[in-house]
Amino acid sequence: IAFSHRVKLDRIAHGAELGPDARRHDADFVCRHTEELESRVRARTAELDQSNRKLAELVQALEQAAITDSLTGLLNRRGRLA
């Protein structure tokens, strides 16, 4: 959070006595700030979901490689014992 935003949020959180216009402005600021943070969280969550899908695919490929012979594609000893 930018320093100016942090100062403003701190002032709002501590309930500084303000007139109705300032309170309305502060409410708008908090709404915009909340929307921005929610948007950033959604974007980061989408990135993490994509990374987790790729990781799951790689784990599955490694598990398959661990139980099959790379030349023949048949189960190796580990695959037959599992």
Side-chain angles (χ1 to χ4, degrees), residues 1-45:
I1 300 174
F3 180 75
S4 62
H5 290 279
R6 195 172 299 166
V7 170
K8 190 166 192 164
L9 288 171
D10 189 50
R11 181 179 55 77
I12 293 168
H14 287 91
E17 294 297 321
L18 301 171
D21 289 339
R23 280 195 295 269
R24 186 171 25 259
H25 176 75
D26 287 350
D28 291 343
F29 173 80
V30 169
C31 286
R32 283 192 314 274
H33 189 67
T34 300
E35 289 170 0
E36 177 188 338
L37 290 175
E38 288 174 351
S39 174
R40 290 169 60 188
V41 167
R42 280 191 301 273
R44 184 65 180 131
T45 300

Side-chain angles (χ1 to χ4, degrees), residues 46 48-58:
L48 290 172
D49 286 343
Q50 183 178 9
S51 294
N52 284 338
R53 282 191 299 275
K54 287 180 182 178
L55 183 59
E57 290 171 5
L58 290 172

